[in-house]
Amino acid sequence: MTPNPELEEEVNVHHDFPMPLPSNEDALVGASGALAAITQAHSLSDTERERLKSSYESIGEFLSEHPFFGGLTVEVHPQGSMAIGTTTKPEGKAEFDVDLVARLTSSAQRQSAVHLLQQLDEAMGEYAERHDLKVEPKRRCTQVQYANAMHTDVTPVIDWPSHLEAYGDVAGLVPDRERGEHLGTNPRGYVRFFNDAAALLPRFSLMESRQALVKADVLPLPGPSAWAKPLARYVQLFKIHRNLLFAVHPELAPTSTFITTQVALAYADLVRPGAAFQSPVHLLLAIFAKMPEYVSVGYRDGREHWVLCNPTHRKENLADRMNSGDRQDAYRQWRARFAQDVARLSEMYLPHGAGVNALATSVQNSFGTRASKALTDSYAAGAARERANGMTRIYVPAAAGVASVLPIAARAHTFFGD
């Protein structure tokens, strides 16, 4: 439903979610905190961000001094998850990838697409030789492969503004090796699109009511910072779950751009002025339900053909790599699994729920070892602090190792089952 901007109306979630959410408020608060903790556990540290930043700055400095690219390079900047703050640490066999743009002046358009990419291959080959790395040509970029399960895709993008597209003032052209031509793209515009959506902040009525209790010193809870940037957290949750489910068959995984664009479009449509949601979990499921609306399904050669238009360059199909039967089937199966896992997580926070060990196992199966460890560490640290103070609390993990807590007077241990 579309909320009336003049009314502060709570949005009901109508979706194909196979398992209903519990109505218990403590369970919803607990699940919301756990989901925030999961994304925090997979987010980059400041040290890791600085290391990645120094990596692409090094490539930028090299290209700016290169005989061919020196006069063409405007800057080298991150694109994709690094640029919009949705990067997640890899787990299992997943390789950490960093997407970079070598932004070039409009004069680079005089070079043929194939020649420009060949020049980039040679330049990155020289860079790799200096740093004992490897390179591999890709369709629209050159991949630099590092030894520590990491690679960087360097994509040349030529400044080529378009007044026909949203954010067209920063549009560009990207050379395509297979098609042998320059194609429209807009990585900087995509960052603007995502940031504009992320600037929309939802109201969570349950969290607001609980925050009032915090101010009254009735129920200590973490501040609202755990969900201060909900769009980025939602994207991370989908990607973390995907990475784990497709660890054995990454070739079938839905692409990050395909997921991120659907989530951002759904979020922007749902989070309208006056709209409120009971909890972050409710908004997550509303997004989940709405995602398929942005994918057009047609048929080519008797098979489904999916189209997801790039919001910043309508001719670019962000579902292009999803157009195989196996990948589409895998995507549907992943959606069903995601729905079940989130609902199960919420149920575990019900009174007389499954307990910490069962919760940790469930989270490990759904979101990985790193997330499970973050939750159990949070429980253990919080319980130790409160036990020392003569209190036992039911811990609801939140981001950054902070736990929200429901205080209960501690019973003395008799070790006789009392």
Side-chain angles (χ1 to χ4, degrees), residues 62-73 104-105 107-123 126 156:
F62 174 81
L63 288 179
S64 66
E65 298 172 356
H66 189 269
F68 181 83
F69 286 98
L72 297 176
T73 304
L104 308 178
T105 65
S107 59
Q109 195 266 346
R110 299 170 189 161
Q111 306 288 332
S112 73
V114 173
H115 179 68
L116 186 60
L117 285 168
Q118 288 174 342
Q119 290 294 321
L120 184 63
D121 295 340
E122 293 179 12
E126 296 172 20

Side-chain angles (χ1 to χ4, degrees), residues 11 13 21-22 28 234 277-287:
V11 176
V13 181
L21 283 177
L28 294 170
Y234 288 135
F277 300 83
Q278 188 177 0
S279 73
V281 181
H282 285 81
L283 178 52
L284 172 66
L285 301 190
I287 292 169

Side-chain angles (χ1 to χ4, degrees), residues 38 41-42 88-96 240 243-248 363-373:
I38 289 167
H42 283 266
T88 61
K89 295 178 182 178
E91 186 160 339
K93 296 182 179 179
E95 189 172 56
F96 190 61
I240 293 165
N243 291 347
L244 190 69
L245 193 64
F246 290 95
V248 178
V363 169
Q364 181 171 334
N365 291 337
S366 303
F367 296 98
T369 302
R370 184 179 289 112
S372 177
K373 185 177 185 302

Side-chain angles (χ1 to χ4, degrees), residues 241-262:
H241 191 274
R242 173 208 60 182
N243 291 347
L244 190 69
L245 193 64
F246 290 95
V248 178
H249 294 288
E251 73 281 0
L252 295 177
T255 65
S256 292
T257 304
F258 182 69
I259 293 172
T260 302
T261 303
Q262 290 181 82

Side-chain angles (χ1 to χ4, degrees), residues 25-147:
E25 292 187 355
D26 290 342
L28 294 170
V29 171
S32 297
L35 292 174
I38 289 167
T39 62
Q40 184 68 28
H42 283 266
S43 297
L44 298 181
S45 67
D46 291 340
T47 301
E48 289 168 327
R49 288 185 183 279
E50 284 301 315
R51 181 168 60 86
L52 294 174
K53 182 181 178 182
S54 65
S55 174
Y56 69 75
E57 285 179 345
S58 173
I59 292 176
E61 291 174 4
F62 174 81
L63 288 179
S64 66
E65 298 172 356
H66 189 269
F68 181 83
F69 286 98
L72 297 176
T73 304
V74 178
E75 63 177 341
V76 173
H77 63 81
Q79 67 168 331
S81 61
M82 277 290 294
I84 61 178
T86 61
T87 304
T88 61
K89 295 178 182 178
E91 186 160 339
K93 296 182 179 179
E95 189 172 56
F96 190 61
D97 61 348
V98 179
D99 295 322
L100 301 180
V101 166
R103 181 184 163 202
L104 308 178
T105 65
S106 59
S107 59
Q109 195 266 346
R110 299 170 189 161
Q111 306 288 332
S112 73
V114 173
H115 179 68
L116 186 60
L117 285 168
Q118 288 174 342
Q119 290 294 321
L120 184 63
D121 295 340
E122 293 179 12
M124 289 294 94
E126 296 172 20
Y127 179 85
E129 188 173 350
R130 290 187 189 182
H131 299 275
D132 195 24
L133 307 173
K134 297 180 180 179
V135 297
E136 181 179 350
K138 297 291 186 177
R139 179 175 174 178
R140 297 183 181 181
C141 67
T142 303
Q143 186 175 97
V144 181
Q145 300 171 344
Y146 296 78

Side-chain angles (χ1 to χ4, degrees), residues 343-410:
R344 188 176 297 112
L345 176 65
S346 300
E347 287 184 341
M348 285 191 165
Y349 279 96
L350 286 169
H352 312 296
V356 177
N357 290 337
L359 173 64
T361 299
S362 178
V363 169
Q364 181 171 334
N365 291 337
S366 303
F367 296 98
T369 302
R370 184 179 289 112
S372 177
K373 185 177 185 302
L375 289 177
T376 53
D377 287 352
S378 178
Y379 269 89
R385 287 194 305 270
E386 298 306 327
R387 176 63 62 184
N389 294 328
M391 295 288 292
T392 299
R393 300 182 181 231
I394 301 172
Y395 277 78
V396 178
V402 180
S404 53
V405 289
L406 305 177
I408 303 174

